[in-house]
Amino acid sequence: MAEETKSPAELSAGNFITEFIKEDTAEGGRYEGKTVHTRFPPEPNGYLHIGHAKAVCVDFGIAEKFGGMCNLRMDDTNPTKEDVEYVDAIKEDIKWLGFTWDDRFYFASEYFDKMYGYAVELIKKGLAYVCELTPEQMKANRGDLSKPAVSPYRDRPVEESLDLFERMKNGEFEDGKMTLRARIDLASGNFNMRDPVIYRINRIHHHRTGDKWCIYPMYDFAHPIEDALEGITHSLCTLEFEDHRPLYDWVINNTSVPCVPRQIEFARLGITNTVMSKRKLRLLVEDGHVNGWDDPRMPTLCGLRRRGYTPASIRNFCERIGVAKTNSVVDYAFLEHCLREDLNLNAQRVMVVLDPVKLVITNYPEGQTESFEIENNPNKPEDGKRTISFSRECFIERSDFIEEKIKGYNRLYPGNEVRLKSAYIVKCTGCKKDDDGNIIEVYAEYDPLTRGGDTPDGRKVRGTIHWVDAESYVDAEVRLYDNLFTDPEPDVGDKNFLDFINPSSLVTLTGCKAEPSLAAANEASRYQFMRLGYFCADKDSTPEHLIFNRSVSLKDSFNKK
Ligand code: ATP
Ligand code: MG
């Protein structure tokens, strides 16, 4: 699916969700004349990942497209593992992507009183009852496709259920002792409709409502009510909720909620060589396989941000993968491709040597320094120019020199000429080694007539290498990242994703040599280190200890496919 990218015309043509919404808001449609209103409902039990970014782009993006509104709602009806830390992080990530919920920020737990009221309404209508089966008994009585479920408490008098439900709320019964079940259809082919549990007893402290409640609503009951109370017209969610839609509609149709939202499902996003469930991501963090939720190898938005991903690249990615009705796994290379496109246009070009060896230009006067003006970004002349200095000694990559020529190698070896990017053509004359045979210096002579890197006589110089002046440079630490997992689909089937952790997903280089302008790098800076890739300053980088993360390499493996 990622293989074919869409043209702008195809993009603005929309998708099946926008088609539904157009129908709904058109003349005679169910929401004729109404403002489109969506919501993004994360459960605050972890950080947002790139899969959530897709949902954010769908929810907020579609509202934006129709001139509507999108609410941000923390789905905190399940009180386990919720944390204020996550709430703040979720807000930060959505803002970073460039979306706004204005003042429409809600917690589902704000509606607990109303939900309780709607549950009582259902009991009074004979549409819900208190059941005393244990979870095991309930499971054993579920029936199968040819056999209806059995529910011995289903015909309990309304008054009795009302009384028991109130006493459930008042804490008179132990956890798990009773549930409230919707009275729908024990023979339904859709098991979600076989008198589903809509309330259970669970004595867990809630991070917002404290110990006020010891009964909590189930998702399938709570979610449609939350949507209706907020006036949501279109409740967009992922495909796993498709089989729950009849229950969603049942709750809406059988309670006196103030509006009738429409649930529409779309496919979940999966990406190769990573895992996407919050539970698995949390395990990676808690077991120390990565350095926190914002480790640049994580598919979380904070991880991608630290890695150097831009909001534009992620929104563009989400737009181009599109929304469909079939789950699919998108190649990680496509995400990288979207970042590379953005950075190719916008990143400043600089020179950094990762694995330095000194190059001495023996015919260049000692003590002399000159400077060159180079463009910050050839794709954006408006970004101006900066000055870099050049003197008798500079650093080059160790791999840009070999002692003996090999076929196809156009860089430095004795007798060969190369261009020091934007400076001069130099001819290699040899090298010096230490007692162990390691090369410690490379020697060359420059041609003063080639200032700027041009050959006035038109002679051909094939290799161009980057360099950093040894008279003025800054040291830097550089972190190179690779896939977190060696297997493209580390968690499908019965695979244990922890078995596929890539041991070389992080390589840290120290003592790298960078041109001095990089001392001013900040979190917003985006660079192309010439010939090496796109980089950004890590959040822990300081002028005294510069740290750069490789966001993505230059080579596009996506285009090749
Ligand atoms: P996870 O399985 O990662 O824990 P979740 O679905 O439990 O995810 P929620 O916080 O409930 O996480 O998700 C909030 C919204 O984001 C939901 O509407 C959900 O459908 C959507 N969402 C979650 N994961 C993906 C994904 N991989 N692709 C698209 N949408 C997603
Ligand atoms: Mg969830």
Side-chain angles (χ1 to χ4, degrees):
M1 164 200 184
E3 272 30 16
E4 6 167 325
T5 54
K6 292 189 177 138
S7 70
E10 281 175 291
L11 285 177
S12 59
N15 54 53
F16 74 96
I17 300 180
T18 54
E19 285 310 308
F20 281 157
I21 297 180
K22 272 187 214 154
E23 281 167 29
D24 289 347
T25 50
E27 209 182 312
R30 62 160 95 182
Y31 305 123
E32 183 184 343
K34 264 195 104 169
T35 302
V36 171
H37 204 151
T38 60
R39 86 288 171 263
F40 175 65
E43 194 178 344
N45 61 352
Y47 285 69
L48 297 186
H49 51 59
I50 181 79
H52 291 116
K54 174 180 173 179
V56 167
C57 290
V58 169
D59 293 328
F60 283 91
I62 285 182
E64 214 165 68
K65 189 166 179 163
F66 284 90
M69 297 176 279
C70 180
N71 294 1
L72 175 59
R73 181 201 309 148
M74 296 296 143
D75 188 354
D76 62 349
T77 51
N78 179 11
T80 51
K81 290 188 237 101
E82 279 157 1
D83 200 314
V84 193
E85 176 197 349
Y86 297 135
V87 173
D88 293 341
I90 289 169
K91 286 172 141 181
E92 186 186 343
D93 286 346
I94 299 173
K95 274 195 205 139
W96 178 69
L97 282 177
F99 293 109
T100 172
W101 51 88
D102 298 322
D103 56 351
R104 296 179 313 279
F105 173 68
Y106 304 108
F107 287 91
S109 55
E110 293 165 27
Y111 312 131
F112 280 162
D113 282 298
K114 288 194 167 143
M115 289 173 190
Y116 181 81
Y118 290 122
V120 169
E121 180 185 356
L122 286 177
I123 300 174
K124 286 184 178 161
K125 287 179 173 165
L127 293 175
Y129 57 94
V130 171
C131 173
E132 291 171 49
L133 294 182
T134 62
E136 297 73 39
Q137 287 169 329
M138 211 177 285
K139 212 172 156 199
N141 282 296
R142 262 176 69 208
D144 54 37
L145 278 177
S146 58
K147 210 170 72 196
V150 176
S151 182
Y153 298 97
R154 149 176 251 258
D155 294 319
R156 148 175 275 162
V158 167
E159 287 312 318
E160 206 175 296
S161 280
L162 278 176
D163 175 59
L164 289 172
F165 187 50
E166 186 173 358
R167 289 164 59 195
M168 277 169 66
K169 180 188 73 150
N170 293 342
E172 289 187 30
F173 310 113
E174 284 163 43
D175 285 12
K177 187 98 182 122
M178 287 179 193
T179 57
L180 184 70
R181 292 176 71 177
R183 194 171 190 277
I184 310 180
D185 179 5
L186 293 178
S188 175
N190 182 341
F191 281 63
N192 296 311
M193 300 296 274
R194 292 191 172 188
D195 288 13
V197 171
I198 58 175
Y199 261 95
R200 75 216 140 106
I201 307 174
N202 196 1
R203 282 180 179 72
I204 296 192
H205 185 81
H206 189 283
H207 80 121
R208 296 193 54 90
T209 56
D211 297 312
K212 176 176 175 194
W213 296 91
C214 65
I215 55 169
Y216 289 99
M218 304 300 286
Y219 182 90
D220 284 339
F221 175 69
H223 205 80
I225 293 175
E226 294 156 22
D227 285 343
L229 290 174
E230 290 178 15
I232 301 303
T233 56
H234 294 88
S235 179
L236 313 175
C237 63
T238 36
L239 228 44
E240 69 272 20
F241 294 105
E242 193 166 25
D243 290 343
H244 298 247
R245 186 175 357 119
L247 182 49
Y248 182 100
D249 291 339
W250 185 91
V251 173
I252 295 292
N253 293 333
N254 289 289
T255 53
S256 55
V257 290
C259 104
V260 183
R262 173 176 185 184
Q263 174 178 306
I264 304 173
E265 311 84 18
F266 61 91
R268 269 182 115 76
L269 167 67
I271 296 194
T272 58
N273 298 91
T274 190
V275 294
M276 207 84 100
S277 109
K278 278 180 284 193
R279 186 182 59 78
K280 291 172 188 163
L281 296 174
R282 186 177 316 107
L283 195 70
L284 289 173
V285 174
E286 284 169 1
D287 287 2
H289 299 291
V290 295
N291 305 312
W293 285 95
D294 68 348
D295 186 299
R297 292 165 291 182
M298 292 279 273
T300 48
L301 290 180
C302 52
L304 291 167
R305 175 161 70 236
R306 189 167 176 186
R307 175 81 167 255
Y309 274 79
T310 58
S313 65
I314 292 178
R315 284 179 69 157
N316 188 21
F317 169 78
C318 291
E319 180 92 13
R320 285 160 74 174
I321 55 173
V323 287
K325 268 283 190 187
T326 352
N327 285 328
S328 65
V329 177
V330 176
D331 198 324
Y332 196 89
F334 185 58
L335 180 61
E336 295 195 313
H337 174 80
C338 291
L339 176 62
R340 210 177 270 119
E341 267 185 359
D342 184 7
L343 296 181
N344 179 40
L345 276 181
N346 296 308
Q348 181 182 351
R349 271 60 175 172
V350 295
M351 294 201 277
V352 177
V353 174
L354 298 187
D355 182 16
V357 66
K358 220 172 225 180
L359 174 71
V360 183
I361 297 149
T362 50
N363 62 339
Y364 194 89
E366 273 185 62
Q368 181 176 311
T369 295
E370 64 186 297
S371 54
F372 294 94
E373 281 229 306
I374 60 171
E375 267 189 309
N376 283 322
N377 182 352
N379 290 329
K380 269 174 116 183
E382 67 270 29
D383 283 359
K385 294 184 174 180
R386 72 181 185 289
T387 305
I388 53 168
S389 67
F390 181 83
S391 57
R392 193 167 188 266
E393 296 185 355
C394 64
F395 295 105
I396 59 168
E397 298 287 348
R398 209 162 267 284
S399 59
D400 283 338
F401 170 77
I402 50 174
E403 283 179 90
E404 272 175 53
K405 172 185 174 145
I406 45 173
K407 202 164 173 274
Y409 188 91
N410 298 322
R411 291 163 278 161
L412 286 169
Y413 54 83
N416 196 40
E417 278 194 320
V418 303
R419 176 180 297 101
L420 293 178
K421 172 82 187 165
S422 302
Y424 285 106
I425 308 285
V426 298
K427 184 178 205 164
C428 183
T429 54
C431 69
K432 179 166 123 189
K433 296 189 205 175
D434 65 12
D435 293 343
D436 298 325
N438 301 313
I439 293 160
I440 46 173
E441 269 177 2
V442 176
Y443 301 110
E445 290 179 353
Y446 85 121
D447 176 352
L449 299 177
T450 59
R451 195 184 141 88
D454 299 321
T455 49
D457 54 0
R459 72 183 188 272
K460 225 178 170 171
V461 176
R462 291 176 103 171
T464 298
I465 64 173
H466 61 279
W467 54 276
V468 169
D469 183 14
E471 285 294 312
S472 84
Y473 66 90
V474 288
D475 272 304
E477 176 179 325
V478 174
R479 299 175 181 168
L480 307 178
Y481 301 98
D482 197 354
N483 288 333
L484 191 47
F485 297 97
T486 52
D487 190 294
E489 296 185 77
D491 60 348
V492 301
D494 49 14
K495 288 187 213 168
N496 177 358
F497 65 103
L498 295 176
D499 293 342
F500 302 101
I501 290 192
N502 178 2
S504 43
S505 58
L506 167 60
V507 173
T508 301
L509 307 173
T510 54
C512 305
K513 310 296 179 193
E515 58 171 273
S517 68
L518 288 188
N522 61 45
E523 272 182 51
S525 320
R526 293 290 186 280
Y527 299 104
Q528 184 193 95
F529 290 3
M530 281 177 202
R531 297 174 67 218
L532 300 172
Y534 295 99
F535 292 75
C536 68
D538 187 74
K539 70 162 198 209
D540 290 341
S541 182
T542 63
E544 295 72 41
H545 184 124
L546 294 169
I547 306 170
F548 294 95
N549 294 323
R550 185 166 69 192
S551 312
V552 65
S553 63
L554 288 177
K555 206 170 72 209
D556 196 327
S557 57
F558 174 74
N559 273 341
K560 277 210 195 125
K561 286 183 182 166

